[in-house]
């Protein structure tokens, strides 16, 4: 490609996608309802609400907490959240002196079954480029102020491990029901760019 | 490959834009593009690593200006064309316009033949190796020392799997690096953990 | 800065396109853009280093998809706007549309206070320093060893001059690196000479 | 910037340039004929023909050759080629076992007075990215086949030195006049991606 503007714009992204669909359809490669099923799963089954339930369970059940720490894949499956991009899940436990945050600098890998498909900002070049080198600044820009004494540990999803953050249980939630606790856990909390707020 | 996609630590970029109440998909073609990619994976025509590499191989100007799902679409369409399922010409006819695809792949890499295991707590060094093909060692750790904090189960070595080659199963190691060791101007009290296949690591000198 | 402009050794890119019988300029606005940049330089409003840095500071997607002269124009227009000679709004009105400018500059760097001289034939090491601002040490030599082949006369240290700061005069050194020491897969019998300000070098360990 | 297409295209590059010109004109900042003069110099005075004359002179006059090797800036000025981006010129002498080639990976610096403004390919991301890492391959793609025994030395123009390549004088040019020799030296030869061919 020369240092000149291209002569014509590409076909629209929608048209390019449809074109591939038609081509594959013509070869009878697409099973009935394949795309609808995928969309349904992606929009509804992979959901940060799942991760929220995992966190809530860990907060109320010390045995589950221990199973989550030692084998998060099995612990998540136990609650009904297995699936693609969740073959090997590791839960990253925050402590009063350690805060975990997840990124994928090379593409945008995430633990879909428990976190849901990632939001645009997670997939943005800005987040991918910056959070590893200036995590404190990036978190502050996103509204999360962490004191300097807390180590910020950024996990770059460069192989097959998929991560979820297990935040500290907020003070003032003693005796809360699991469902109420789960409400505190958003996708941002599971990625590590926010903390549960009561 | 030392590609445009290897963004960690690049400081060209500005503020992160956050969309409130973001839907899972913004347009109908997005899940469609993704589903069509997984279709080929389900047929064992390619691995997730090959999709990732096909995306990395995009013409850099295109990569930079495409959205996530446009990148996914381009990678997947390239794999279908490279496999011969459909031709670029056919796709352009059906789309009614230009249909840019990824650049051609170069050679893949083999994992190290000898197993060299590392222990939790051990200081290791990311190799100083440069790979032309698919590589899951971000450039920012190359030649840097860190400490193993966890050992994950074996997975197929991405350097081979990204090219559809038979891939050695190797454990991956979660290696913690002090951010200041990676970038002299990084912030205090911050660390980065990178998940690295065994072949990307060697004994620290 | 570790920016998108620091392209040496990136292997995302395809074939080099060569235009036969290429004119010096392809369009009338190209020499105009360049002349307007030198106008401000002639008025001592900025240095060539500041123009270079203003170009590097372009939004990366814009940088990647702009031609050389569009990058020059954007850098120069940004400098005029930053100086207050003209506003972005005024430029957009006059242009009849969007007028993207470069992102804001961060801090510049000072040269090393102590003079540490090197001799021709001496093995030196490029520092392992990361600069947020303008930097004329390409990332591919950082931390690498090479041999001084020539010493050039003192010039203002670019890390300061690129930000309009007073700049220490420092000799620059032509340092020869073996390509294989820079990239493990580089070709045999090939070397790269990089012209480095003294502050970018230290005694080899 | 989000992971979405921008809502509108920028104004054309020509219009953006004119807009800056008008704004500066309105402030009376542009001296009469300033742009015309610049264009004239850039198109006609900075020319690879100048570098060609320098090389030809060095081939026929051993004293000039020596001055070019020891102080190329003065030697070029002696022939009437001083100027911007030529404040400190170094001539890179090829030998039977060494071939020099010039690039600027960080932007596109070149010795304008003797090489002329660089061509698009020199300013392309492709050349900037690739020639330092795979010089032999890049030169071959550009039509220059060099045996493996010849060291290829790539000079990255990262500071204020501006380079020109001084190629070996081709066999069969004994007794040629300077003007005829200069005809063999193109801009590509001065950059180092071609050799003089008789």
């Amino acid at each position: 490609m020369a240092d000149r503007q291209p002569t014509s714009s590409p076909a629209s992204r929608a048209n390019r996608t449809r074109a591939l669909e038609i081509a594959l359809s013509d070869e009878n490669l697409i099973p009935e309802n394949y795309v609808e099923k995928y969309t349904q799963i992606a929009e509804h089954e992979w959901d940060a609400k799942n991760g929220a339930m995992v966190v809530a369970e860990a907060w109320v059940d010390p045995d589950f907490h221990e199973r989550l720490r030692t084998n998060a894949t099995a612990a998540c499956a136990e609650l009904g959240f297995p699936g693609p991009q969740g073959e090997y899940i590791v839960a990253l436990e925050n402590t009063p002196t350690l805060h975990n945050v997840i990124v994928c600098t090379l593409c945008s890998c995430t633990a879909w079954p428990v976190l849901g498909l990632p939001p645009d900002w997670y997939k943005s070049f800005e987040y991918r480029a910056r959070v590893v080198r200036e995590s404190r600044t990036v978190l502050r820009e996103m509204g999360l102020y962490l004191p300097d004494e807390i180590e910020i540990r950024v996990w770059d999803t460069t192989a097959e491990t998929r991560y979820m953050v297990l935040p500290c249980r907020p003070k003032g939630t003693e005796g809360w029901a699991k469902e109420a606790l789960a409400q505190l856990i958003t996708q941002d909390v599971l990625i590590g760019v926010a903390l549960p707020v009561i | 490959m030392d590609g445009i996609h290897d963004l960690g630590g690049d400081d060209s970029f500005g503020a992160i834009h956050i969309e409130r109440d973001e839907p899972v998909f913004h347009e109908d073609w997005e899940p469609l593009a993704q589903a069509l990619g997984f279709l080929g994976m389900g047929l064992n025509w390619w691995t997730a690593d090959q999709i990732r590499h096909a995306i990395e191989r995009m013409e850099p100007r295109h990569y930079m200006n495409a959205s996530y799902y446009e990148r996914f679409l381009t990678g997947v369409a390239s794999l279908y064309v490279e496999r011969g399922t459909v031709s670029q010409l056919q796709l352009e006819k059906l789309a009614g316009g230009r249909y840019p695809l990824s650049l051609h792949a170069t050679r893949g890499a083999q994992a190290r033949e000898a197993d060299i295991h590392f222990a939790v707590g051990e200081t290791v060094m990311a190799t100083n190796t440069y790979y032309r093909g698919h590589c899951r060692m971000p450039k920012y750790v190359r030649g840097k020392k860190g400490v193993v904090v966890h050992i994950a189960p074996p997975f197929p070595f991405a350097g081979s799997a990204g090219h559809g080659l038979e891939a050695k199963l190797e454990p991956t190691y979660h290696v913690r690096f002090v951010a200041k060791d990676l970038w002299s101007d990084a912030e205090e009290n911050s660390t980065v953990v990178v998940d690295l296949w065994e072949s990307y690591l060697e004994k620290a000198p």
Side-chain angles (χ1 to χ4, degrees), chain A, chain B:
Chain A
M1 193 186 280
D3 190 35
R4 302 279 144 208
Q5 304 284 72
T7 41
S8 71
S9 291
S12 78
R13 300 174 297 176
N15 285 351
R16 276 181 275 156
T17 313
R18 301 283 173 219
L20 183 59
E21 183 188 26
I22 294 167
L24 300 180
S25 254
D26 287 351
E27 302 284 325
N28 290 315
L29 285 167
I30 310 180
E32 209 178 334
N33 288 326
Y34 183 87
V35 175
E36 293 73 10
K37 260 189 237 162
Y38 175 77
T39 309
Q40 163 69 21
I41 291 171
E43 287 191 326
H44 301 289
E45 290 192 23
W46 299 330
D47 195 330
K49 290 198 169 60
N50 303 339
M53 285 172 64
V54 172
V55 170
E57 188 74 33
W59 281 348
V60 299
D61 177 350
D63 291 342
F64 182 83
H65 186 176
E66 190 52 31
R67 292 202 294 283
L68 183 65
R69 291 182 49 171
T70 51
N71 185 345
T73 323
C76 289
E78 192 184 310
L79 296 194
F81 314 128
Q85 294 296 310
E87 287 85 357
Y88 184 67
I89 299 176
V90 167
L92 306 170
E93 188 167 23
N94 286 352
T95 73
T97 58
L98 174 68
H99 179 82
N100 295 289
V101 57
I102 305 168
V103 66
C104 172
T105 62
L106 298 174
C107 44
S108 296
C109 299
T110 336
W112 297 350
V114 281
L115 265 63
L117 288 179
D120 272 3
W121 64 257
Y122 181 89
K123 296 176 285 192
S124 72
F125 298 152
E126 283 70 15
Y127 184 72
R128 287 167 53 187
R130 295 181 56 206
V131 76
V132 283
R133 185 159 171 180
E134 41 173 357
S135 53
R136 209 168 290 273
T137 302
V138 166
L139 292 183
R140 202 161 45 225
E141 284 179 21
M142 296 179 82
L144 180 57
Y145 294 77
L146 293 173
D148 291 347
E149 306 84 67
I150 294 185
E151 174 189 337
I152 302 182
R153 191 174 293 177
V154 182
W155 297 74
D156 194 352
T157 314
T158 49
E160 298 299 332
T161 311
R162 296 294 171 268
Y163 303 102
M164 60 175 285
V165 173
L166 175 57
C168 301
R169 180 168 174 172
K171 288 196 178 97
T173 59
E174 297 76 12
W176 284 31
K178 262 194 299 195
E179 292 66 27
L181 289 169
Q183 295 290 326
L184 304 176
I185 312 301
T186 61
Q187 189 180 41
D188 283 2
V189 169
L190 293 164
I191 294 173
V193 298
L195 288 176
V197 180
I198 63 167
Chain B
M1 62 189 287
D2 288 274
I4 201 87
H5 69 286
D6 190 354
L7 286 171
D10 190 306
D11 46 30
S12 293
F13 290 92
I16 296 157
H17 174 88
I18 295 165
E19 182 183 342
R20 293 285 152 214
D21 301 316
E22 186 183 330
V24 175
F25 297 110
H26 293 70
E27 302 182 42
D28 286 349
W29 62 270
E30 296 179 337
L32 174 57
Q34 208 163 29
L36 297 179
F38 294 132
L39 179 71
M41 238 175 92
L43 294 166
N44 288 318
W45 285 359
W46 47 73
T47 59
D49 305 86
Q50 279 171 281
I51 296 182
R52 286 192 198 104
H53 189 47
I55 294 169
E56 295 163 2
R57 291 191 273 118
M58 282 173 69
E59 207 288 322
R61 296 164 189 79
H62 187 198
Y63 183 96
M64 283 299 289
N65 276 271
S67 72
Y68 174 80
Y69 288 106
E70 181 178 358
R71 297 196 296 275
F72 200 94
L73 168 69
T74 306
V76 161
S78 301
L79 289 173
Y80 279 112
V81 169
E82 289 166 10
R83 206 183 170 280
T85 313
V86 55
S87 72
Q88 185 171 18
L89 189 67
Q90 196 183 346
L91 286 176
E92 295 194 317
K93 273 189 193 160
L94 288 166
R98 283 207 302 120
Y99 206 117
L101 297 175
S102 300
L103 304 183
H104 295 300
T106 53
R107 61 184 183 280
Q110 296 297 332
R112 190 165 46 209
E113 227 172 284
D115 295 326
I116 305 179
H117 295 314
F118 308 96
V120 169
E122 184 174 348
T123 297
V124 294
M125 193 174 86
T127 62
N128 219 330
T129 312
Y130 290 74
Y131 296 95
R132 281 271 140 172
H134 187 55
C135 169
R136 295 294 289 186
M137 173 173 73
K139 65 172 183 284
Y140 67 78
V141 298
R142 191 155 38 201
K144 305 280 184 167
K145 279 183 237 174
V147 174
V148 174
V149 296
H150 181 82
I151 305 174
F155 281 101
F157 180 61
S160 315
H163 294 259
L165 303 172
E166 207 176 319
K168 182 183 171 192
L169 285 171
E170 269 193 351
T172 74
Y173 296 78
H174 299 182
V175 180
R176 187 183 66 231
F177 298 89
V178 174
K180 272 202 171 296
D181 290 344
L182 303 177
W183 303 279
S184 60
D185 70 346
E187 292 163 352
E188 297 290 342
N189 209 11
S190 65
T191 53
V192 181
V193 178
V194 184
D195 192 4
L196 295 164
W197 267 272
E198 195 169 277
S199 285
Y200 295 139
L201 295 174
E202 50 194 55
K203 297 281 176 186

